[in-house]
Amino acid sequence: AAGDRPGPLTFAPLVVWAASECAPDQTEEEVMARARQTRVLHEPLLVESAFATRLLADAGAPTVVPDLATAIGTLEEFLGEQGYQGYIHAARRWATPASVYRWNNQTGPLRRSPLDHGYVFGGGYADVLGDTLIATGPLYIWRSTPFENVETTGSSSVAAHNNSVYALSERVVTVGYECAVMAVTIDATP
């Protein structure tokens, strides 16, 4: 009915973690540094992949369009109808072809579409989104403080006499967006 508001969107947290195991000739600090660095390197890709899966589910069946120009135009029109500046999410393979449609800011870290919506070319989007581009409202990212723990196994009080050193670095990340979402899939076949 007119005037009814949908329920609020809820976004599930994602636990991103990495571990490292080494022989006792490595210090706990060295093992933890390796686990931490592995988490830091892989975290963006894992979060993007999980978020892309959520976006596809939220968007429902995508609108099929014949080319990238139509895809960008359709998403920009959708975002304009929402009344806010949003984001267009796509696999990185679309960054070069999209660049012919004029980046609004050649020097900043965030590339923008001709109507000033931000492009998000996620490294973790490739396998999930493929030829689908998705428009969302403003994005929000919450990250917990990393939790880190190191354990040396064995019964000796001297680390060098034990068997292994294990390190775990993890944190919780939640990504959400405001308002509506729309997906388009590029299918150039007639």
Side-chain angles (χ1 to χ4, degrees):
D4 287 346
R5 299 181 96 175
L9 293 172
T10 57
F11 299 93
L14 174 68
V15 178
V16 181
W17 61 273
S20 181
E21 175 185 3
C22 293
D25 62 342
Q26 301 250 320
T27 68
E28 289 184 350
E29 291 78 21
E30 290 170 324
V31 179
M32 177 50 69
R34 190 170 23 265
R36 181 182 306 118
Q37 183 64 16
T38 301
R39 180 189 51 78
V40 167
L41 287 173
H42 294 281
E43 183 175 294
L45 302 175
L46 295 170
V47 170
E48 288 168 354
S49 181
F51 184 59
T53 300
R54 169 67 190 256
L55 287 175
L56 284 174
D58 288 350
T63 299
V64 178
V65 297
D67 53 42
L68 181 61
T70 305
I72 292 171
T74 300
L75 295 175
E76 290 210 293
E77 184 173 58
F78 167 78
L79 289 168
E81 290 169 352
Q82 304 309 310
Y84 51 70
Q85 294 305 116
Y87 293 91
I88 298 173
H89 305 262
R92 287 185 175 197
R93 72 181 72 135
W94 295 110
T96 298
S99 70
V100 302
Y101 302 110
R102 189 177 62 85
W103 301 127
N104 271 352
N105 60 339
Q106 292 294 327
T107 59
L110 180 64
R111 298 296 180 216
R112 296 201 170 273
S113 72
L115 292 179
D116 213 30
H117 301 289
Y119 283 119
V120 182
F121 295 110
Y125 287 171
D127 290 339
V128 180
L129 294 183
D131 293 336
T132 299
L133 286 74
I134 298 180
T136 67
L139 297 173
Y140 302 94
I141 303 172
W142 297 273
R143 296 176 184 94
S144 71
T145 302
F147 168 78
E148 297 179 339
N149 191 36
V150 179
E151 294 291 330
T152 300
T153 63
S155 59
S156 175
S157 61
V158 178
H161 297 159
N162 288 308
N163 296 326
S164 292
V165 179
Y166 296 94
L168 172 70
S169 177
E170 68 179 16
R171 80 161 150 190
V172 179
V173 180
T174 303
V175 181
Y177 62 91
E178 190 171 319
C179 303
V181 58
M182 179 185 190
V184 296
T185 296
I186 299 170
D187 183 1
T189 59

